[in-house]
Amino acid sequence: MRILLIEDEKRLSETIKKGLAESGFAVDQAFDGEEGLYLGQSETYDVIILDLMLPKLDGITVCKKLRDKKIAVPILMLTAKAQVENRVTGLDAGADDYLTKPFEFVELKARINALLRRNYRQTESAIVIDTLEIDPVKRIVTRGDKPITLTPKEFSILEYLARNQDKPVTRTQITEHTWDYNFDSFSNVVDVFIATLRKKIDGGHKNKLIHTVHGVGYVMSAKK
Ligand code: CA
């Protein structure tokens, strides 16, 4: 899953990015409102984390402009404690949720997961496909109660496929949702990751969950 982080406090931005990257998220950073608005309009994101007080354009304006452009990506607004009225304005401007600074990282991850779940119309916090269970907050994957160890990138690709259960996705969609801005989209790196995931997820299991869709890409499904 790919996140746009619009936050002008460099140290906070780096801390959030590091934590999210360790959890398998691809993160693009913007350090002012204009840059954030530009990236939010031109790239594909699963969640936008948007600070309220920003140079050049404030968070409320960025949020409004994105919604005016019909960009429906879930937006999590970051506010300082004293900005209660702004929080309400943020929700009015089209933000989906807000988090008050300072916050625990685990709280941020839980909010992000709630927004992803809502966006992909999932009701449970864990994603279950056949005997495979994915916990997106704790980043734990098990198949038939046996834990599976994945790298952050492998986890990210698996999560994207699983959130789109039974829906074929293209290689481009996979890269757009799991790699950041600096990714070279001409490589066949997706296929390499899928081959590894197949070994880890489907190896030794009769019911395969990762399938190739010829001419399209891949689909994750319990149906054969
Ligand atoms: Ca700020």
Side-chain angles (χ1 to χ4, degrees):
M1 303 281 108
R2 187 175 173 195
I3 292 176
L4 173 60
L5 172 60
I6 312 174
E7 165 65 71
D8 60 312
E9 287 168 51
K10 271 242 159 79
R11 264 183 60 195
L12 179 62
S13 177
E14 290 305 327
T15 307
I16 295 175
K17 180 177 175 157
K18 190 166 169 272
L20 290 176
E22 279 166 4
S23 299
F25 289 101
V27 183
D28 288 337
Q29 291 161 293
F31 297 97
D32 64 62
E34 271 176 15
E35 191 187 11
L37 179 62
Y38 171 75
L39 283 174
Q41 288 179 139
S42 52
E43 296 291 315
T44 307
Y45 295 102
D46 295 291
V47 170
I48 295 176
I49 301 171
L50 176 59
D51 187 32
L52 187 72
M53 306 292 272
L54 290 165
K56 294 188 185 173
L57 278 181
D58 64 85
I60 303 280
T61 309
V62 172
C63 190
K64 271 193 190 141
K65 284 189 186 275
L66 286 171
R67 293 309 187 220
D68 284 349
K69 302 261 179 195
K70 307 282 177 244
I71 290 160
V73 183
I75 294 176
L76 174 63
M77 206 129 202
L78 302 181
T79 63
K81 248 206 179 100
Q83 301 164 332
V84 182
E85 311 91 63
N86 290 338
R87 208 180 288 167
V88 177
T89 319
L91 294 175
D92 282 345
D96 298 273
D97 198 3
Y98 61 84
L99 194 55
T100 307
K101 289 181 192 175
F103 50 81
E104 298 285 328
F105 189 69
V106 60
E107 176 69 16
L108 177 69
K109 279 213 302 188
R111 298 293 184 96
I112 291 170
N113 189 50
L115 291 175
L116 288 171
R117 217 163 69 210
R118 207 192 300 168
N119 212 29
Y120 285 92
R121 295 190 174 75
Q122 281 149 349
T123 49
E124 303 295 323
S125 72
I127 308 167
V128 180
I129 305 175
D130 192 58
T131 51
L132 179 76
E133 200 173 323
I134 302 166
D135 183 328
V137 178
K138 295 192 185 120
R139 318 302 279 185
I140 293 170
V141 180
T142 54
R143 182 142 191 206
D145 293 330
K146 238 185 80 193
I148 297 169
T149 309
L150 299 178
T151 65
K153 185 59 77 189
E154 287 163 4
F155 185 94
S156 185
I157 295 170
L158 180 72
E159 182 185 5
Y160 181 68
L161 286 171
R163 288 200 190 270
N164 288 288
Q165 192 174 337
D166 298 323
K167 221 175 86 190
V169 291
T170 65
R171 288 171 182 80
T172 307
Q173 282 175 313
I174 293 171
T175 55
E176 275 179 355
H177 286 269
T178 58
W179 266 273
D180 62 30
Y181 194 68
N182 303 313
F183 177 67
D184 162 22
S185 58
F186 293 103
S187 75
N188 69 338
V189 68
V190 170
D191 298 322
V192 177
F193 274 100
I194 293 283
T196 312
L197 275 175
R198 278 188 155 141
K199 259 183 236 155
K200 290 187 176 182
I201 302 298
D202 285 336
H205 293 274
K206 231 180 129 190
N207 196 11
K208 308 293 183 205
L209 303 180
I210 301 170
H211 311 273
T212 303
V213 185
H214 291 289
V216 182
Y218 297 100
V219 67
M220 212 163 168
S221 174
K223 300 167 206 154
K224 274 163 231 168

